Amino acid sequence: MLDRTVRPAFQKSNSFDLIRPETTVLKNGIPLIVVRGGDQDVAKIEFVFDAGKWDESNPGVSYFTAHLLQKGTASRSSYDISNETEHRGIHFEVSPGHDFTSVALFGLTKNIGEIFGLTREIITVPVFPQHELDQTRAIYTQSLKINLEKTSYLASLELRKKLFGSRHPYGRDASLDEVALIQRDWLLDFHRNRFGNFRIICSGKITDALLKSLISFFESVETNPTAQTNWPEIETSVSASHIAKESSVQSSLRLGRKAVSRLHRDYPALLLLNHIFGGYFGSRLMKNIREEKGLTYGINSSMAALMHASYITVGTDVNKENREVAMQEIKNEMLALCEHLIGPNELEIARNHFIGSLQSEITTPFAHADKIKNLTWFSLPADYYQQLIYRIDALTANDLQDTAHIYLNPETFTTVAVG
């Protein structure tokens, strides 16, 4: 009989077994990746375009183009599109980002193929009705006005401006004035230039019949290769700034610096070091600034690995009177990691938590597909995540201290406080 008063023995696993994808190329050159798995009769069909903020010439155009795709085609209104997808229980999700725009369909395997024709229209012949643009603009404008009153939004935006430059796609968000200028013709041009080529990722319970139907609908789509967009890297210097906001009772703090890409030799060590520093609930920043000092409800450090750049961000909100104290304590934790070796118990707990968290990210076929998408888009080897775990498991306290000297020197961080 199981004795529930005895804690089960800890079992460590370093495996990271991704579903092996099926890959092919359609007659028109469109890459197709299929990730079959799961017991439920559900599927996700995702279309990914090189049409992110990186590729826009006018701020906000990628966002509005993406969100207006399903607002009308040559033969269907937004009402028709919404009615058809809801009638079949299909969730239609559009996700514009810094580097890509994704259009995804979620639904029952038996139903999702019924809207392939509609989906083809949405991504190939959208018309961007003027009244839909005006309505979307009004909603976006109202949301932006609300965000501009939030110290957290202003601090994050200001930090990205400091790191990349205010005109760089990674450093800017469309302003109210820029949103007001967006024209329908800009969306048509952006769609024509950036949506003429895409990749398809299918995951879940993908039957042969569904796959055959998908191919028949999309192998005849006329494609146009998209040109590579290049932005010069802007040299920015380390700086410290404080934006006063008298109406706010709190200050939002952001610290950041540029980092390294997923393929850089220091990346695994930096991931684990960041985890210990501020990447999970048991991190040093949480223990010091939340638990011991009581200065905040939450604080974290994260790494953003984009297609053309990576950066580290530390973020928290504190009362105004605690702004300088909190900022100094964050820097003190950086210095401690540079000057002292991490203890074996702390290192092992953080290592196991990081590896376990990474492994828990692939519990569904959709999650497997997301990892495979990263491998494809960032040109990573097929065993990248498995090798990442092996490398993290082999890191020593000395390795992490060496990494801290390079990437956690507080003098290399730009700091922003708003409020």
Side-chain angles (χ1 to χ4, degrees):
M1 185 174 180
L2 179 63
D3 185 355
R4 297 188 182 278
T5 65
V6 179
R7 183 174 60 184
F10 173 71
Q11 295 182 344
K12 181 177 179 178
S13 170
N14 283 346
S15 66
F16 196 86
D17 299 321
L18 279 176
I19 298 172
R20 186 180 296 276
E22 305 165 28
T23 60
T24 189
V25 178
L26 305 188
K27 292 179 180 179
N28 53 0
I30 294 175
L32 172 62
I33 300 172
V34 182
V35 181
R36 301 183 196 248
D39 299 323
Q40 304 298 318
D41 292 324
V42 293
K44 174 184 177 182
I45 313 296
E46 184 175 12
F47 305 83
V48 186
F49 305 83
D50 293 321
K53 290 177 67 175
W54 183 264
D55 303 294
E56 62 184 15
S57 55
N58 299 97
V61 168
S62 64
Y63 175 92
F64 280 88
T65 302
H67 280 282
L68 286 169
L69 285 174
Q70 57 182 321
K71 298 300 183 179
T73 70
S75 64
R76 290 177 170 92
S77 67
S78 61
Y79 175 81
D80 296 331
I81 293 170
S82 177
N83 190 51
E84 189 167 344
T85 54
E86 290 180 8
H87 177 71
R88 291 173 172 78
I90 304 300
H91 176 60
F92 194 95
E93 183 177 278
V94 178
S95 304
H98 282 92
D99 298 304
F100 310 104
T101 287
S102 165
V103 175
L105 314 175
F106 300 84
L108 294 175
T109 301
K110 65 179 181 180
N111 292 343
I112 202 166
E114 296 178 4
I115 66 163
F116 284 162
L118 170 62
T119 305
R120 173 172 167 154
E121 277 193 44
I122 289 172
I123 65 178
T124 59
V125 287
V127 294
F128 307 109
Q130 184 64 48
H131 72 280
E132 295 285 359
L133 170 57
D134 294 339
Q135 185 178 61
T136 303
R137 191 201 324 267
I139 295 171
Y140 184 94
T141 298
Q142 185 61 35
S143 177
L144 181 55
K145 287 180 179 178
I146 294 172
N147 283 333
L148 290 172
E149 295 300 317
K150 298 177 180 178
T151 57
S152 56
Y153 174 85
L154 293 172
S156 295
L157 176 59
E158 184 67 16
L159 178 64
R160 287 190 285 110
K161 286 181 179 179
K162 297 288 187 182
L163 293 180
F164 296 103
S166 61
R167 303 308 302 170
H168 191 278
Y170 291 167
R172 72 187 182 194
D173 280 352
S175 68
L176 290 171
D177 290 340
E178 288 168 332
V179 169
L181 292 174
I182 292 175
Q183 302 173 26
R184 176 174 176 267
D185 287 345
W186 295 1
L187 309 188
L188 290 166
D189 287 342
F190 188 74
H191 177 267
R192 181 166 50 251
N193 294 329
R194 304 306 311 180
F195 283 75
N197 200 9
F198 54 92
R199 308 178 206 189
I200 307 174
I201 301 179
C202 309
S203 53
K205 189 64 74 70
I206 306 297
T207 64
D208 290 341
L210 180 64
L211 194 59
K212 182 179 180 181
S213 175
L214 176 73
I215 293 172
S216 69
F217 271 100
F218 293 97
E219 67 179 355
S220 59
V221 170
E222 184 177 344
T223 61
N224 298 306
T226 51
Q228 182 175 347
T229 305
N230 295 308
W231 287 87
E233 183 172 355
I234 300 173
E235 290 295 330
T236 55
S237 57
V238 176
S239 63
S241 60
H242 172 223
I243 301 174
K245 194 170 180 60
E246 297 303 326
S247 61
S248 176
V249 298
Q250 70 176 18
S251 287
S252 292
L253 311 183
R254 298 292 184 271
L255 299 83
R257 60 154 292 165
K258 292 180 182 178
V260 292
S261 71
R262 287 178 168 91
L263 288 172
H264 194 281
R265 65 178 184 177
D266 293 342
Y267 189 73
L270 186 54
L271 275 181
L272 182 56
L273 178 67
N274 178 76
H275 202 63
I276 294 168
F277 174 52
Y280 75 119
F281 196 79
S283 70
R284 291 196 175 189
L285 289 179
M286 286 291 284
K287 289 178 179 177
N288 179 348
I289 297 173
R290 182 183 189 274
E291 297 178 17
E292 295 176 10
K293 304 289 191 306
L295 300 176
T296 183
Y297 284 110
I299 183 170
N300 75 291
S301 174
S302 60
M303 287 187 59
L306 305 176
M307 180 63 70
H308 305 282
S310 298
Y311 61 100
I312 306 171
T313 305
V314 180
T316 190
D317 297 325
V318 300
N319 288 337
K320 280 184 176 181
E321 61 269 23
N322 295 326
R323 181 179 66 243
E324 296 301 328
V325 174
M327 188 74 78
Q328 187 57 53
E329 286 300 324
I330 294 170
K331 294 179 179 180
N332 288 344
E333 291 299 337
M334 293 182 187
L335 289 172
L337 288 166
C338 292
E339 296 172 356
H340 307 289
L341 290 176
I342 299 167
N345 187 56
E346 181 185 14
L347 174 56
E348 199 59 21
I349 290 174
R351 191 201 316 271
N352 290 338
H353 185 273
F354 181 89
I355 293 174
S357 297
L358 184 61
Q359 291 168 326
S360 70
E361 292 177 4
I362 53 170
T363 56
T364 70
F366 301 157
H368 280 256
D370 285 338
K371 294 300 182 188
I372 292 167
K373 182 169 65 174
N374 282 340
L375 298 180
T376 304
W377 267 245
F378 290 89
S379 301
L380 303 173
D383 64 345
Y384 172 78
Y385 288 105
Q386 183 63 78
Q387 293 303 318
L388 177 64
I389 288 177
Y390 289 153
R391 291 187 64 184
I392 285 177
D393 193 47
L395 289 168
T396 67
N398 285 311
D399 294 330
L400 296 181
Q401 187 179 39
D402 291 342
T403 304
H405 284 145
I406 301 172
Y407 300 103
L408 283 190
N409 180 348
E411 294 183 0
T412 65
F413 275 74
T414 288
T415 63
V416 173
V418 178

mmCIF file of all heavy atoms in Angstrom, residues 74-107:
data_model
loop_
_atom_site.group_PDB
_atom_site.id
_atom_site.type_symbol
_atom_site.label_atom_id
_atom_site.label_comp_id
_atom_site.label_asym_id
_atom_site.label_seq_id
_atom_site.Cartn_x
_atom_site.Cartn_y
_atom_site.Cartn_z
ATOM 1 N N ALA A 74 -12.737 39.785 -51.170
ATOM 2 C CA ALA A 74 -13.393 40.186 -52.414
ATOM 3 C C ALA A 74 -14.847 39.720 -52.475
ATOM 4 O O ALA A 74 -15.667 40.314 -53.179
ATOM 5 C CB ALA A 74 -12.616 39.627 -53.601
ATOM 6 N N SER A 75 -15.193 38.659 -51.737
ATOM 7 C CA SER A 75 -16.558 38.133 -51.826
ATOM 8 C C SER A 75 -17.274 38.009 -50.489
ATOM 9 O O SER A 75 -18.452 37.649 -50.457
ATOM 10 C CB SER A 75 -16.539 36.743 -52.495
ATOM 11 O OG SER A 75 -15.828 35.813 -51.688
ATOM 12 N N ARG A 76 -16.587 38.310 -49.383
ATOM 13 C CA ARG A 76 -17.204 38.143 -48.063
ATOM 14 C C ARG A 76 -16.942 39.361 -47.181
ATOM 15 O O ARG A 76 -15.852 39.925 -47.185
ATOM 16 C CB ARG A 76 -16.648 36.893 -47.357
ATOM 17 C CG ARG A 76 -17.083 35.561 -47.972
ATOM 18 C CD ARG A 76 -16.397 34.437 -47.204
ATOM 19 N NE ARG A 76 -16.904 33.117 -47.530
ATOM 20 C CZ ARG A 76 -16.392 32.342 -48.457
ATOM 21 N NH1 ARG A 76 -15.375 32.778 -49.190
ATOM 22 N NH2 ARG A 76 -16.897 31.139 -48.685
ATOM 23 N N SER A 77 -17.955 39.714 -46.396
ATOM 24 C CA SER A 77 -17.806 40.792 -45.425
ATOM 25 C C SER A 77 -17.268 40.213 -44.119
ATOM 26 O O SER A 77 -17.189 38.988 -43.945
ATOM 27 C CB SER A 77 -19.162 41.452 -45.170
ATOM 28 O OG SER A 77 -20.029 40.538 -44.503
ATOM 29 N N SER A 78 -16.925 41.090 -43.182
ATOM 30 C CA SER A 78 -16.447 40.616 -41.885
ATOM 31 C C SER A 78 -17.526 39.801 -41.178
ATOM 32 O O SER A 78 -17.234 38.828 -40.470
ATOM 33 C CB SER A 78 -16.005 41.797 -41.014
ATOM 34 O OG SER A 78 -17.088 42.679 -40.780
ATOM 35 N N TYR A 79 -18.804 40.206 -41.371
ATOM 36 C CA TYR A 79 -19.916 39.446 -40.782
ATOM 37 C C TYR A 79 -19.975 38.041 -41.372
ATOM 38 O O TYR A 79 -20.152 37.055 -40.639
ATOM 39 C CB TYR A 79 -21.236 40.171 -41.013
ATOM 40 C CG TYR A 79 -22.435 39.382 -40.541
ATOM 41 C CD1 TYR A 79 -22.804 39.375 -39.198
ATOM 42 C CD2 TYR A 79 -23.185 38.614 -41.447
ATOM 43 C CE1 TYR A 79 -23.893 38.635 -38.765
ATOM 44 C CE2 TYR A 79 -24.270 37.870 -41.017
ATOM 45 C CZ TYR A 79 -24.616 37.890 -39.671
ATOM 46 O OH TYR A 79 -25.685 37.149 -39.244
ATOM 47 N N ASP A 80 -19.832 37.933 -42.672
ATOM 48 C CA ASP A 80 -19.866 36.619 -43.333
ATOM 49 C C ASP A 80 -18.744 35.727 -42.804
ATOM 50 O O ASP A 80 -18.958 34.536 -42.538
ATOM 51 C CB ASP A 80 -19.713 36.771 -44.843
ATOM 52 C CG ASP A 80 -20.876 37.527 -45.477
ATOM 53 O OD1 ASP A 80 -21.989 37.453 -44.934
ATOM 54 O OD2 ASP A 80 -20.649 38.203 -46.504
ATOM 55 N N ILE A 81 -17.539 36.313 -42.671
ATOM 56 C CA ILE A 81 -16.383 35.544 -42.205
ATOM 57 C C ILE A 81 -16.595 35.070 -40.776
ATOM 58 O O ILE A 81 -16.373 33.900 -40.450
ATOM 59 C CB ILE A 81 -15.105 36.405 -42.313
ATOM 60 C CG1 ILE A 81 -14.784 36.675 -43.783
ATOM 61 C CG2 ILE A 81 -13.925 35.720 -41.620
ATOM 62 C CD1 ILE A 81 -13.686 37.698 -43.996
ATOM 63 N N SER A 82 -17.043 35.981 -39.908
ATOM 64 C CA SER A 82 -17.281 35.623 -38.516
ATOM 65 C C SER A 82 -18.371 34.570 -38.396
ATOM 66 O O SER A 82 -18.248 33.608 -37.624
ATOM 67 C CB SER A 82 -17.671 36.876 -37.724
ATOM 68 O OG SER A 82 -17.976 36.558 -36.392
ATOM 69 N N ASN A 83 -19.424 34.719 -39.157
ATOM 70 C CA ASN A 83 -20.537 33.779 -39.105
ATOM 71 C C ASN A 83 -20.113 32.384 -39.551
ATOM 72 O O ASN A 83 -20.486 31.376 -38.935
ATOM 73 C CB ASN A 83 -21.681 34.290 -39.983
ATOM 74 C CG ASN A 83 -22.956 33.490 -39.784
ATOM 75 O OD1 ASN A 83 -23.402 33.290 -38.660
ATOM 76 N ND2 ASN A 83 -23.558 33.029 -40.885
ATOM 77 N N GLU A 84 -19.293 32.313 -40.605
ATOM 78 C CA GLU A 84 -18.870 31.015 -41.131
ATOM 79 C C GLU A 84 -17.933 30.288 -40.182
ATOM 80 O O GLU A 84 -18.041 29.074 -39.985
ATOM 81 C CB GLU A 84 -18.204 31.203 -42.500
ATOM 82 C CG GLU A 84 -17.927 29.888 -43.211
ATOM 83 C CD GLU A 84 -17.564 30.068 -44.675
ATOM 84 O OE1 GLU A 84 -17.809 31.172 -45.224
ATOM 85 O OE2 GLU A 84 -17.033 29.115 -45.266
ATOM 86 N N THR A 85 -16.983 31.016 -39.577
ATOM 87 C CA THR A 85 -16.047 30.368 -38.658
ATOM 88 C C THR A 85 -16.754 29.942 -37.366
ATOM 89 O O THR A 85 -16.526 28.836 -36.867
ATOM 90 C CB THR A 85 -14.874 31.301 -38.331
ATOM 91 O OG1 THR A 85 -15.374 32.558 -37.846
ATOM 92 C CG2 THR A 85 -14.019 31.544 -39.556
ATOM 93 N N GLU A 86 -17.625 30.790 -36.834
ATOM 94 C CA GLU A 86 -18.318 30.446 -35.594
ATOM 95 C C GLU A 86 -19.292 29.288 -35.799
ATOM 96 O O GLU A 86 -19.469 28.444 -34.912
ATOM 97 C CB GLU A 86 -19.067 31.670 -35.065
ATOM 98 C CG GLU A 86 -18.137 32.757 -34.530
ATOM 99 C CD GLU A 86 -18.891 33.964 -34.012
ATOM 100 O OE1 GLU A 86 -20.152 33.884 -33.934
ATOM 101 O OE2 GLU A 86 -18.248 34.966 -33.678
ATOM 102 N N HIS A 87 -19.930 29.235 -36.957
ATOM 103 C CA HIS A 87 -20.870 28.153 -37.246
ATOM 104 C C HIS A 87 -20.176 26.793 -37.197
ATOM 105 O O HIS A 87 -20.789 25.796 -36.793
ATOM 106 C CB HIS A 87 -21.503 28.378 -38.624
ATOM 107 C CG HIS A 87 -22.435 27.280 -39.048
ATOM 108 N ND1 HIS A 87 -23.662 27.078 -38.455
ATOM 109 C CD2 HIS A 87 -22.309 26.308 -40.005
ATOM 110 C CE1 HIS A 87 -24.252 26.045 -39.021
ATOM 111 N NE2 HIS A 87 -23.452 25.565 -39.966
ATOM 112 N N ARG A 88 -18.912 26.761 -37.567
ATOM 113 C CA ARG A 88 -18.156 25.493 -37.573
ATOM 114 C C ARG A 88 -17.283 25.320 -36.335
ATOM 115 O O ARG A 88 -16.489 24.386 -36.252
ATOM 116 C CB ARG A 88 -17.310 25.409 -38.843
ATOM 117 C CG ARG A 88 -18.158 25.236 -40.104
ATOM 118 C CD ARG A 88 -17.324 25.318 -41.366
ATOM 119 N NE ARG A 88 -18.106 24.956 -42.536
ATOM 120 C CZ ARG A 88 -18.984 25.754 -43.146
ATOM 121 N NH1 ARG A 88 -19.178 26.974 -42.673
ATOM 122 N NH2 ARG A 88 -19.682 25.347 -44.197
ATOM 123 N N GLY A 89 -17.408 26.249 -35.411
ATOM 124 C CA GLY A 89 -16.637 26.126 -34.171
ATOM 125 C C GLY A 89 -15.149 26.320 -34.361
ATOM 126 O O GLY A 89 -14.341 25.735 -33.627
ATOM 127 N N ILE A 90 -14.753 27.160 -35.309
ATOM 128 C CA ILE A 90 -13.336 27.388 -35.600
ATOM 129 C C ILE A 90 -12.894 28.707 -34.973
ATOM 130 O O ILE A 90 -13.540 29.746 -35.155
ATOM 131 C CB ILE A 90 -13.081 27.434 -37.118
ATOM 132 C CG1 ILE A 90 -13.578 26.151 -37.786
ATOM 133 C CG2 ILE A 90 -11.591 27.650 -37.392
ATOM 134 C CD1 ILE A 90 -12.935 24.886 -37.286
ATOM 135 N N HIS A 91 -11.815 28.648 -34.224
ATOM 136 C CA HIS A 91 -11.228 29.861 -33.662
ATOM 137 C C HIS A 91 -10.148 30.362 -34.617
ATOM 138 O O HIS A 91 -9.238 29.631 -34.992
ATOM 139 C CB HIS A 91 -10.616 29.571 -32.293
ATOM 140 C CG HIS A 91 -9.900 30.742 -31.694
ATOM 141 N ND1 HIS A 91 -10.535 31.934 -31.412
ATOM 142 C CD2 HIS A 91 -8.591 30.917 -31.344
ATOM 143 C CE1 HIS A 91 -9.656 32.787 -30.904
ATOM 144 N NE2 HIS A 91 -8.471 32.193 -30.848
ATOM 145 N N PHE A 92 -10.278 31.621 -34.997
ATOM 146 C CA PHE A 92 -9.376 32.246 -35.972
ATOM 147 C C PHE A 92 -8.516 33.247 -35.189
ATOM 148 O O PHE A 92 -9.037 34.177 -34.594
ATOM 149 C CB PHE A 92 -10.208 32.960 -37.032
ATOM 150 C CG PHE A 92 -9.459 33.354 -38.264
ATOM 151 C CD1 PHE A 92 -9.465 32.540 -39.381
ATOM 152 C CD2 PHE A 92 -8.750 34.543 -38.312
ATOM 153 C CE1 PHE A 92 -8.789 32.913 -40.530
ATOM 154 C CE2 PHE A 92 -8.069 34.917 -39.448
ATOM 155 C CZ PHE A 92 -8.089 34.099 -40.562
ATOM 156 N N GLU A 93 -7.207 33.045 -35.173
ATOM 157 C CA GLU A 93 -6.321 33.885 -34.361
ATOM 158 C C GLU A 93 -5.233 34.517 -35.226
ATOM 159 O O GLU A 93 -4.494 33.819 -35.926
ATOM 160 C CB GLU A 93 -5.682 33.038 -33.267
ATOM 161 C CG GLU A 93 -4.793 33.803 -32.306
ATOM 162 C CD GLU A 93 -4.249 32.907 -31.214
ATOM 163 O OE1 GLU A 93 -4.978 32.665 -30.227
ATOM 164 O OE2 GLU A 93 -3.108 32.419 -31.352
ATOM 165 N N VAL A 94 -5.120 35.839 -35.162
ATOM 166 C CA VAL A 94 -4.092 36.566 -35.895
ATOM 167 C C VAL A 94 -3.112 37.162 -34.885
ATOM 168 O O VAL A 94 -3.522 37.816 -33.928
ATOM 169 C CB VAL A 94 -4.703 37.689 -36.753
ATOM 170 C CG1 VAL A 94 -3.612 38.469 -37.467
ATOM 171 C CG2 VAL A 94 -5.685 37.111 -37.761
ATOM 172 N N SER A 95 -1.809 36.925 -35.098
ATOM 173 C CA SER A 95 -0.786 37.379 -34.151
ATOM 174 C C SER A 95 0.337 38.103 -34.891
ATOM 175 O O SER A 95 1.276 37.473 -35.377
ATOM 176 C CB SER A 95 -0.218 36.188 -33.373
ATOM 177 O OG SER A 95 -1.234 35.470 -32.715
ATOM 178 N N PRO A 96 0.263 39.438 -34.988
ATOM 179 C CA PRO A 96 1.378 40.185 -35.571
ATOM 180 C C PRO A 96 2.492 40.326 -34.534
ATOM 181 O O PRO A 96 2.217 40.497 -33.342
ATOM 182 C CB PRO A 96 0.751 41.547 -35.897
ATOM 183 C CG PRO A 96 -0.375 41.676 -34.918
ATOM 184 C CD PRO A 96 -0.874 40.299 -34.635
ATOM 185 N N GLY A 97 3.745 40.241 -34.967
ATOM 186 C CA GLY A 97 4.859 40.326 -34.041
ATOM 187 C C GLY A 97 5.984 41.168 -34.581
ATOM 188 O O GLY A 97 5.854 41.834 -35.613
ATOM 189 N N HIS A 98 7.111 41.138 -33.884
ATOM 190 C CA HIS A 98 8.268 41.913 -34.321
ATOM 191 C C HIS A 98 8.817 41.399 -35.648
ATOM 192 O O HIS A 98 9.217 42.191 -36.509
ATOM 193 C CB HIS A 98 9.370 41.857 -33.263
ATOM 194 C CG HIS A 98 9.132 42.757 -32.099
ATOM 195 N ND1 HIS A 98 8.483 42.336 -30.956
ATOM 196 C CD2 HIS A 98 9.420 44.065 -31.897
ATOM 197 C CE1 HIS A 98 8.404 43.343 -30.109
ATOM 198 N NE2 HIS A 98 8.959 44.402 -30.645
ATOM 199 N N ASP A 99 8.862 40.079 -35.825
ATOM 200 C CA ASP A 99 9.505 39.497 -37.001
ATOM 201 C C ASP A 99 8.548 38.810 -37.964
ATOM 202 O O ASP A 99 8.851 38.705 -39.153
ATOM 203 C CB ASP A 99 10.568 38.481 -36.557
ATOM 204 C CG ASP A 99 11.673 39.110 -35.737
ATOM 205 O OD1 ASP A 99 12.296 40.071 -36.236
ATOM 206 O OD2 ASP A 99 11.914 38.671 -34.607
ATOM 207 N N PHE A 100 7.410 38.325 -37.457
ATOM 208 C CA PHE A 100 6.476 37.554 -38.289
ATOM 209 C C PHE A 100 5.040 37.938 -37.962
ATOM 210 O O PHE A 100 4.760 38.529 -36.925
ATOM 211 C CB PHE A 100 6.635 36.050 -38.035
ATOM 212 C CG PHE A 100 8.046 35.556 -38.092
ATOM 213 C CD1 PHE A 100 8.741 35.259 -36.931
ATOM 214 C CD2 PHE A 100 8.690 35.400 -39.312
ATOM 215 C CE1 PHE A 100 10.045 34.808 -36.974
ATOM 216 C CE2 PHE A 100 9.993 34.955 -39.373
ATOM 217 C CZ PHE A 100 10.674 34.660 -38.195
ATOM 218 N N THR A 101 4.155 37.535 -38.870
ATOM 219 C CA THR A 101 2.723 37.568 -38.593
ATOM 220 C C THR A 101 2.198 36.160 -38.767
ATOM 221 O O THR A 101 2.500 35.486 -39.759
ATOM 222 C CB THR A 101 1.983 38.531 -39.539
ATOM 223 O OG1 THR A 101 2.292 39.879 -39.171
ATOM 224 C CG2 THR A 101 0.475 38.337 -39.448
ATOM 225 N N SER A 102 1.414 35.712 -37.790
ATOM 226 C CA SER A 102 0.863 34.364 -37.816
ATOM 227 C C SER A 102 -0.658 34.423 -37.925
ATOM 228 O O SER A 102 -1.305 35.220 -37.243
ATOM 229 C CB SER A 102 1.271 33.618 -36.538
ATOM 230 O OG SER A 102 0.481 32.446 -36.354
ATOM 231 N N VAL A 103 -1.201 33.582 -38.784
ATOM 232 C CA VAL A 103 -2.652 33.394 -38.899
ATOM 233 C C VAL A 103 -2.927 31.928 -38.594
ATOM 234 O O VAL A 103 -2.445 31.043 -39.305
ATOM 235 C CB VAL A 103 -3.158 33.753 -40.310
ATOM 236 C CG1 VAL A 103 -4.647 33.437 -40.435
ATOM 237 C CG2 VAL A 103 -2.893 35.219 -40.624
ATOM 238 N N ALA A 104 -3.663 31.659 -37.513
ATOM 239 C CA ALA A 104 -3.857 30.276 -37.073
ATOM 240 C C ALA A 104 -5.326 29.925 -36.962
ATOM 241 O O ALA A 104 -6.151 30.756 -36.559
ATOM 242 C CB ALA A 104 -3.159 30.052 -35.731
ATOM 243 N N LEU A 105 -5.640 28.684 -37.302
ATOM 244 C CA LEU A 105 -6.983 28.136 -37.168
ATOM 245 C C LEU A 105 -6.949 27.018 -36.138
ATOM 246 O O LEU A 105 -6.083 26.142 -36.193
ATOM 247 C CB LEU A 105 -7.482 27.561 -38.499
ATOM 248 C CG LEU A 105 -7.284 28.392 -39.769
ATOM 249 C CD1 LEU A 105 -7.734 27.580 -40.980
ATOM 250 C CD2 LEU A 105 -8.068 29.681 -39.678
ATOM 251 N N PHE A 106 -7.884 27.037 -35.182
ATOM 252 C CA PHE A 106 -8.034 25.969 -34.212
ATOM 253 C C PHE A 106 -9.440 25.409 -34.320
ATOM 254 O O PHE A 106 -10.402 26.169 -34.396
ATOM 255 C CB PHE A 106 -7.848 26.489 -32.779
ATOM 256 C CG PHE A 106 -6.522 27.112 -32.492
ATOM 257 C CD1 PHE A 106 -6.284 28.441 -32.791
ATOM 258 C CD2 PHE A 106 -5.501 26.377 -31.898
ATOM 259 C CE1 PHE A 106 -5.071 29.035 -32.504
ATOM 260 C CE2 PHE A 106 -4.287 26.962 -31.604
ATOM 261 C CZ PHE A 106 -4.060 28.287 -31.913
ATOM 262 N N GLY A 107 -9.563 24.080 -34.291
ATOM 263 C CA GLY A 107 -10.901 23.509 -34.324
ATOM 264 C C GLY A 107 -10.880 22.006 -34.391
ATOM 265 O O GLY A 107 -9.805 21.369 -34.374
#
